[in-house]
Amino acid sequence: MTFAAKTDVGVLISGSGTNLQALIDAAADATFPARLAVVISNRSRAYGLERAQMAGIPTEVLSHRRFDDREAYDAALVEVLREHEVQWVCLAGFMRLVTPVFLDAFPQRVLNIHPALLPAFPGLHAQRQALEYGVAISGATVHLVDRGTDTGPVVAQAAVPVLPDDDEDALKARILRQEHRLYPMVLRWAVEGRLQVEGRRVTVDLPEGEQRFLFAPEP
Ligand code: GRF
């Protein structure tokens, strides 16, 4: 059996890389339409780099400390991604805001995953924010990246319950399990050209049996 050429994707990380691992696992399937062409971290100690190396994916460490400003850093990121002929970029726990220098190089082709149901709880410590606010449901969002912090058009979301005994770690873990389902599914749609964006609204030409929402199993 032959398969269509795969789309090269770059993944940007800063830490543990469990979402990266979910993408690596998905991409190991011969029918997955994306190939992870490069993993870039701004931190040399990010465990995600080891995950990439174990999967045979080229890695680069690009420390933001070596650059004068965000634009210079983003220009360097773009250069590495271009060297690897990347068509789409996934931010997966990449703890940096990106500038127009980066976004203009990959217009409407940068995805991010955030551990809350946006527009609730953008920014850092989303799970702690959800607990402190007292919501009964939280979750994860995959969105296209724009110039704001977690403000880009929503592609898909996964909902999880917030349980009475939850602490931050318990909620994090419950959300992460759904993140790992959600991100590979959305990346597949993205590289298959199934996303259409009009203003804030994303329309997905959904494969049979798939939806823009996931729910965690009942507790
Ligand atoms: C995830 O919760 C993701 O939603 C957020 O950063 C975290 C990264 O975790 N953007 P990991 O490095 O993928 O394990």
Side-chain angles (χ1 to χ4, degrees), residues 144 153-155 195-204 212:
L144 288 159
V154 170
V155 183
L195 308 186
Q196 271 212 327
V197 191
E198 268 176 68
R200 287 213 51 83
R201 297 187 57 155
V202 178
T203 314
V204 185
R212 289 179 65 199

Side-chain angles (χ1 to χ4, degrees), residues 188-199:
R188 173 188 279 271
W189 299 344
V191 303
E192 286 179 346
R194 294 176 179 275
L195 308 186
Q196 271 212 327
V197 191
E198 268 176 68

Side-chain angles (χ1 to χ4, degrees), residues 96-132:
R96 305 261 316 157
L97 292 179
V98 291
T99 68
V101 168
F102 185 85
L103 295 174
D104 292 348
F106 298 98
Q108 304 281 40
R109 282 174 172 249
V110 183
L111 294 166
N112 181 45
I113 189 155
H114 181 74
L117 292 177
L118 292 170
F121 314 129
L124 293 175
H125 308 301
Q127 304 91 336
R128 190 187 309 166
Q129 292 183 54
L131 284 173
E132 285 173 358

